[in-house]
Amino acid sequence: MSGYSFPPAGYGYGQQPTAQPYVAPSASYSSSPSEPGADPYNNPFSSLLPSVFPPGTDPNILACFQVADQDRSGFIDDKELQRALSSYNQSFSMRTIHLLMFTFTNTNTRKIGPKEFTSVFHSLQHWRDIFERADRDKSGKIDPNELREALLSEGYSVSPVVLDLLVSKFDKTGGRNKAIEYDNFVECCVTVKGLSEKFKAKDPGYTGSATFTYEAFMLAVLPFLIA
Amino acid sequence: MSGYSFPPAGYGYGQQPTAQPYVAPSASYSSSPSEPGADPYNNPFSSLLPSVFPPGTDPNILACFQVADQDRSGFIDDKELQRALSSYNQSFSMRTIHLLMFTFTNTNTRKIGPKEFTSVFHSLQHWRDIFERADRDKSGKIDPNELREALLSEGYSVSPVVLDLLVSKFDKTGGRNKAIEYDNFVECCVTVKGLSEKFKAKDPGYTGSATFTYEAFMLAVLPFLIA
């Protein structure tokens, strides 16, 4: 069991935004054409309707959503999200965008509503904080040891072998420079977090071993492959 | 267990080239500067030396290798392999190239020698045959049902849900057109074969369930993520 750790209190995100309960619509975002609601009628087509902003959502997020939602559909699609994030911090690959969308919807629909947009916003704020704390020399890149510490601060303890593999995958130079930039750091975090959660779902007792059927294994893993 | 199948006789590749034994050097390829050998001295640095062609290797493969090995290093690197395959059939993404290299070396070194080159050659011949048989209308694309049959002919039985996920990942349009081109078909086959083998390694008795430690799970899965 060396190299394996799910800190009982520290697993996952302390401030995990997806842990917020699904709530009734906030009156503060009313521009959606389809009257987003908390679905009191158990509508079987509810996935076709946008979600809603949690009450008390930061007005900055609402404003960002309205700017990002260029076609005023009430949803943000992958291209809209990529454009919105590029204008906020920097560029993200379409793969990272799809991974983010998958993480917050658990589907391949590639559209997110206000609720998931809020989660993406908070997650990226959180990852930016983690990255900037890890990037001590402010080079815009972190080294493998800083990546290990950043993952550990999120509750993910990875072995040296797994760390090497992550660096070789998420370093833009294929592991030669051993330096991870912010966009790849986000992709790496989303991947480690997502895979760890798939593992944890099959190891609810934190035994360190998880049993999958072939079907469950493929369904757990394939969404993290290239989108 | 519905949707799960490892045909006892049909699992994996009938003509799997990696099943060939590692053999002594063939005299027919002597242009390598570092005198490739079968390592009779148990050299701890043997991974630094190129492998050798199996005896009786098709002279076409030797000729291809010599043309592909542009820097005469005795190895084919990722860019050389991409260039070589582009001139042979069509273009392959760097991701597919890295996946192929990983599959035949089980490392991230991103260099292959004569032995692995021969395996890549045979595999691509084999996948081209499978693809052309599946592509009944010769459109250059196969539909989800043809993909399912092609995978089945290789011994991989995937459920409708897994098939949908594969199509959404390996269709260039993100699943909208539901049509898989040859390069993505190869990527899909390498992925399904590789993940199935990782699963099978943890399910040697074909019970349909595999148990992984967290470390083993991450090491099994991460190599198939974007390179």
Side-chain angles (χ1 to χ4, degrees), chain A residues 165-217:
Chain A
L165 203 48
L166 290 173
V167 171
S168 78
K169 292 291 171 190
F170 295 107
D171 168 358
K172 283 189 175 68
T173 63
R176 281 188 296 277
N177 289 356
K178 305 216 178 294
I180 313 283
E181 294 175 36
Y182 176 63
D183 54 339
N184 297 116
F185 171 75
V186 169
E187 194 179 334
C188 178
C189 288
V190 172
T191 302
V192 170
K193 181 173 182 288
L195 288 174
S196 299
E197 282 175 1
K198 296 292 182 182
F199 184 88
K200 195 182 133 201
K202 296 291 182 182
D203 178 28
Y206 291 95
T207 65
S209 288
T211 300
F212 293 83
T213 62
Y214 180 66
E215 180 78 3
F217 178 72

Side-chain angles (χ1 to χ4, degrees), chain A residues 81-136:
Chain A
L81 186 61
Q82 189 180 40
R83 225 175 287 127
L85 290 174
S86 299
S87 61
Y88 172 58
N89 260 321
Q90 63 169 95
S91 70
F92 287 91
S93 71
M94 197 44 100
R95 170 175 158 79
T96 307
I97 297 294
H98 287 158
L99 259 182
L100 278 170
M101 298 183 108
F102 168 73
T103 301
F104 291 108
T105 62
N106 225 0
T107 70
N108 268 322
T109 54
R110 294 181 180 172
K111 290 197 296 185
I112 57 173
K115 177 170 155 274
E116 299 80 20
F117 185 82
T118 304
S119 298
V120 168
F121 188 100
H122 286 305
S123 281
L124 288 175
Q125 269 189 331
H126 179 67
W127 285 321
R128 173 54 83 178
D129 284 349
I130 301 277
F131 185 83
E132 292 191 346
R133 221 175 303 146
D135 179 23
R136 293 199 197 91

Side-chain angles (χ1 to χ4, degrees), chain B residues 22 29 31-37 45-53 64-84 101 104-105 107 109-117:
Chain B
Y22 192 86
Y29 181 68
S31 70
S32 165
S34 55
E35 288 258 53
F45 299 105
S46 60
S47 69
L48 299 177
L49 300 176
S51 59
V52 295
F53 284 111
C64 285
F65 186 92
Q66 284 177 305
V67 173
D69 183 18
Q70 297 189 322
D71 62 2
R72 315 299 286 163
S73 64
F75 286 108
I76 307 295
D77 68 21
D78 48 3
K79 287 183 197 70
E80 287 174 337
L81 186 61
Q82 190 181 40
R83 227 174 286 129
M101 299 183 109
F104 291 108
T105 61
T107 70
T109 55
R110 295 181 179 171
K111 290 198 295 187
I112 57 173
K115 177 169 156 272
E116 299 80 19
F117 185 83

Side-chain angles (χ1 to χ4, degrees), chain B residues 152-205:
Chain B
L152 196 59
S153 77
E154 294 297 290
Y156 305 112
S157 171
V158 298
S159 71
V161 182
V162 171
L163 185 69
D164 272 358
L165 206 46
L166 290 173
V167 171
S168 78
K169 293 290 170 190
F170 294 107
D171 167 359
K172 283 189 176 66
T173 63
R176 281 188 294 278
N177 288 357
K178 304 214 179 294
I180 314 282
E181 294 175 38
Y182 176 63
D183 55 338
N184 296 117
F185 171 74
V186 170
E187 194 179 334
C188 178
C189 288
V190 171
T191 302
V192 170
K193 180 173 181 289
L195 287 174
S196 298
E197 282 175 2
K198 296 290 184 184
F199 184 87
K200 195 183 133 203
K202 296 290 182 183
D203 179 27

Side-chain angles (χ1 to χ4, degrees), chain B:
Chain B
M1 285 266 300
S2 75
Y4 174 85
S5 148
F6 282 128
Y11 187 87
Y13 282 75
Q15 342 166 3
Q16 178 52 270
T18 54
Q20 289 169 345
Y22 192 86
V23 292
S26 154
S28 51
Y29 181 68
S30 56
S31 70
S32 165
S34 55
E35 288 258 53
D39 189 23
Y41 311 112
N42 193 24
N43 179 349
F45 299 105
S46 60
S47 69
L48 299 177
L49 300 176
S51 59
V52 295
F53 284 111
T57 297
D58 181 343
N60 281 320
I61 301 179
L62 273 67
C64 285
F65 186 92
Q66 284 177 305
V67 173
D69 183 18
Q70 297 189 322
D71 62 2
R72 315 299 286 163
S73 64
F75 286 108
I76 307 295
D77 68 21
D78 48 3
K79 287 183 197 70
E80 287 174 337
L81 186 61
Q82 190 181 40
R83 227 174 286 129
L85 290 173
S86 299
S87 61
Y88 173 56
N89 259 321
Q90 64 168 94
S91 71
F92 286 91
S93 72
M94 197 44 96
R95 172 178 156 77
T96 307
I97 296 295
H98 287 160
L99 258 182
L100 278 170
M101 299 183 109
F102 168 74
T103 301
F104 291 108
T105 61
N106 225 3
T107 70
N108 268 321
T109 55
R110 295 181 179 171
K111 290 198 295 187
I112 57 173
K115 177 169 156 272
E116 299 80 19
F117 185 83
T118 304
S119 298
V120 168
F121 189 100
H122 287 305
S123 281
L124 288 176
Q125 270 189 330
H126 178 69
W127 285 321
R128 173 57 80 179
D129 284 351
I130 300 277
F131 185 83
E132 291 190 347
R133 219 175 306 146
D135 179 22
R136 294 201 194 88
D137 62 359
K138 304 300 163 208
S139 63
K141 291 172 186 167
I142 61 174
D143 68 24
N145 198 41
E146 290 166 337
L147 175 63
R148 192 186 59 75
E149 283 173 22
L151 288 171
L152 196 59
S153 77
E154 294 297 290
Y156 305 112
S157 171
V158 298
S159 71
V161 182
V162 171
L163 185 69
D164 272 358
L165 206 46
L166 290 173
V167 171
S168 78
K169 293 290 170 190
F170 294 107
D171 167 359
K172 283 189 176 66
T173 63
R176 281 188 294 278
N177 288 357
K178 304 214 179 294
I180 314 282
E181 294 175 38
Y182 176 63
D183 55 338
N184 296 117
F185 171 74
V186 170
E187 194 179 334
C188 178
C189 288
V190 171
T191 302
V192 170
K193 180 173 181 289
L195 287 174
S196 298
E197 282 175 2
K198 296 290 184 184
F199 184 87
K200 195 183 133 203
K202 296 290 182 183
D203 179 27
Y206 290 96
T207 65
S209 286
T211 300
F212 294 83
T213 62
Y214 179 66
E215 180 78 4
F217 178 70
M218 295 300 268
L219 291 179
V221 167
L222 286 174
F224 295 95
L225 303 187
I226 193 165

